[in-house]
Amino acid sequence: MNAKGEIIDPFNGREDLRNQLIRTVGNAKERFHEDALRMMRAVRFVSQLAFSLSDQTKRAIQQYGELLRHVSIERITVEFEKMLSGKRPSLALALVADTELYRYLPQLNVDPQKFRSVCAHDWMMLQRVSESWTLLVHLLDIQDKQAFFKSWKLSNKQIKDIQLQSIGLRDVLENGWSKRIMYTIGEQASVSVNRILQLLRSNEYMNEHELLYIYSELPIHSLKDLDINGQDLLVWTGKKGGPWVSQLLKEIEEKVLYNELMNTKSSIRKWVQSCSQI
């Protein structure tokens, strides 16, 4: 802007904004050789802003995609997660497929048709980036999820969340919802799994309010909610500690979860006694 308040726009940026178009500033080859991460930023902006990518920029990404090999994984992951969390992630993923940019992303150099199938889903329905990662490994049928997420340099907290959701998603798709799987993965992961089921148009999807009600009605939500602990079992039985303690706690946990045993110290002691443990 000059002293008169007039905008100086040598690259016609305002016109591109009006046309909702993403392009490099000047020569695309030069910009991508300066910083190859700009290719990821381009598709990320397409997702975040729901803009289009200029043909020239798209061709340049196709031509110079290999430059991404020289960019740190951490920087790529930041852009990839922003892309997955944008307004139009499916549109951006289609560009990643069209430009074959996925070939240079950690462990995503898969069959082209397999990656293309990822773009066919309405990713906008997801609300957490962990849900997007869970859907991605599900659609690509990634077997070694731990190695996959380590290659993307995700945090241990992220990996734990995604693995819980992956366990829940696989179990529900195979066996339907159960108290056991809700209890195992917890409330937040159950909600996330349910959201992914909705996106996949699975018959196992249920109304979220119903899901939350069922979860809230569980007698316990973790082993800590049991009215007894391992020390009680040691006192009641007079036995030495060992693997039997955790095994018996798991059996008690299961019975309480399915309302076969009241979660009170007296009821549990009577049951333990009836099983000749005391």
Side-chain angles (χ1 to χ4, degrees), residues 236-258:
W236 294 344
T237 62
K239 295 180 181 179
K240 292 183 178 180
W244 68 271
V245 176
S246 61
Q247 291 170 4
L248 187 54
L249 279 173
K250 284 185 180 299
E251 193 172 351
I252 294 168
E253 176 188 45
E254 190 79 7
K255 288 190 171 295
V256 169
L257 181 63
Y258 281 93

Side-chain angles (χ1 to χ4, degrees), residues 8-54:
I8 301 168
D9 185 19
F11 297 100
N12 298 314
R14 285 184 295 178
E15 183 179 348
D16 284 344
L17 284 171
R18 284 193 294 270
N19 295 328
Q20 299 188 341
L21 190 67
I22 301 294
R23 75 166 84 237
T24 58
V25 176
N27 186 287
K29 177 182 177 181
E30 293 177 5
R31 299 294 82 77
F32 293 155
H33 275 81
E34 288 168 354
D35 185 359
L37 189 69
R38 287 170 176 160
M39 291 182 280
M40 288 298 300
R41 288 203 183 111
V43 293
R44 183 254 286 188
F45 283 132
V46 167
S47 175
Q48 284 189 320
L49 303 173
F51 280 16
S52 300
L53 189 65
S54 77

Side-chain angles (χ1 to χ4, degrees), residues 165-272:
Q165 291 172 26
S166 295
I167 290 168
L169 182 61
R170 182 180 65 249
D171 192 90
V172 175
L173 285 172
E174 291 176 358
N175 308 305
W177 280 109
S178 67
K179 289 182 178 180
R180 165 50 65 186
I181 195 60
M182 286 186 187
Y183 175 80
T184 299
I185 67 176
E187 182 179 41
Q188 181 59 70
S190 294
V191 170
S192 291
V193 167
N194 196 51
R195 200 172 286 131
I196 296 169
L197 290 169
Q198 183 181 17
L199 179 148
L200 294 173
R201 299 182 181 179
S202 168
N203 292 331
E204 299 304 330
Y205 166 73
M206 69 166 70
N207 179 276
E208 187 172 310
H209 293 294
E210 180 184 358
L211 177 77
L212 291 172
Y213 174 76
I214 293 172
Y215 182 82
S216 70
E217 289 295 297
L218 294 179
I220 54 174
H221 296 100
S222 76
L223 192 60
K224 294 178 181 178
D225 293 337
L226 278 181
D227 202 31
I228 65 147
N229 54 40
Q231 186 61 37
D232 292 316
L233 297 180
L234 293 175
V235 172
W236 294 344
T237 62
K239 295 180 181 179
K240 292 183 178 180
W244 68 271
V245 176
S246 61
Q247 291 170 4
L248 187 54
L249 279 173
K250 284 185 180 299
E251 193 172 351
I252 294 168
E253 176 188 45
E254 190 79 7
K255 288 190 171 295
V256 169
L257 181 63
Y258 281 93
N259 295 306
E260 296 172 11
L261 182 62
M262 288 185 64
N263 186 28
T264 64
K265 189 166 288 190
S266 59
S267 297
I268 295 171
R269 182 170 184 172
K270 286 178 183 178
W271 179 82
V272 173

Side-chain angles (χ1 to χ4, degrees), residues 14 28 33 80 98 105 137-138 142 146 152 160 180 196 203 219-220 243 254:
R14 285 184 295 178
H33 275 81
F80 193 74
D98 290 342
L105 300 178
V137 295
H138 170 72
I142 301 294
Q146 182 78 9
W152 281 90
K160 181 181 177 181
R180 165 50 65 186
I196 296 169
N203 292 331
I220 54 174
E254 190 79 7

Side-chain angles (χ1 to χ4, degrees), residues 135-149:
L135 177 63
L136 184 67
V137 295
H138 170 72
L139 294 175
L140 295 178
D141 193 26
I142 301 294
Q143 297 301 307
D144 191 345
K145 295 178 178 60
Q146 182 78 9
F148 179 86
F149 293 123

